[in-house]
Amino acid sequence: MKFKDGKLASRAFKLSTLSASCLVAMNSYAAVDCSTLENWDANTVYTGGDQVQHQGTAYKANYWTQNNDPATNSSEWGTWKVIDTCSSDGGLNETTDLYSHFTNSNSIYYRR
């Protein structure tokens, strides 16, 4: 489909913004398979990138840490960063990459 003028550009932008927002929202509800993650242990030393599970949530260490409970020490710049909640069935709730389903025939062209 082609737009011959800019009248519908605003609508197209709103639609694409809404679509992107929906994709982000769908991905944020995908739980993590925690069956391969160790349970957090206060006596264990963790370094940046280490992943653990604790109280139904998966965490990633931002840097060296020991005896810092992930549930109370997690933030973007804190000791731990939340990855996501653990899935209840032990499996990964996979999301679909909706971008791969679009083709050039679905493109919208805008000319001024």
Side-chain angles (χ1 to χ4, degrees):
M1 136 175 60
K2 287 189 177 185
F3 295 135
K4 294 184 179 181
D5 56 38
K7 293 179 185 177
L8 297 177
S10 175
R11 290 183 191 158
F13 177 75
K14 288 177 187 175
L15 178 60
S16 64
T17 303
L18 177 62
S19 299
S21 298
C22 290
L23 289 174
V24 170
M26 282 191 295
N27 287 332
S28 66
Y29 290 103
V32 174
D33 176 9
C34 291
S35 64
T36 60
L37 298 179
E38 298 287 328
N39 287 311
W40 175 75
D41 178 16
N43 297 315
T44 302
V45 171
Y46 300 99
T47 57
D50 287 345
Q51 296 182 3
V52 298
Q53 63 173 311
H54 183 56
Q55 298 176 347
T57 303
Y59 296 92
K60 179 179 178 180
N62 284 327
Y63 44 81
W64 188 97
T65 180
Q66 184 180 20
N67 197 27
N68 290 308
D69 186 339
T72 57
N73 293 288
S74 61
S75 66
E76 183 70 27
W77 306 110
T79 308
W80 294 96
K81 182 176 180 180
V82 173
I83 298 173
D84 211 333
T85 58
C86 295
S87 65
S88 59
D89 61 1
L92 177 65
N93 297 333
E94 295 186 28
T95 57
T96 302
D97 177 13
L98 297 179
Y99 290 115
S100 64
H101 297 287
F102 292 112
T103 63
N104 286 338
S105 63
N106 293 331
S107 298
I108 297 175
Y109 299 96
Y110 173 70
R111 294 186 316 189
R112 288 184 182 218

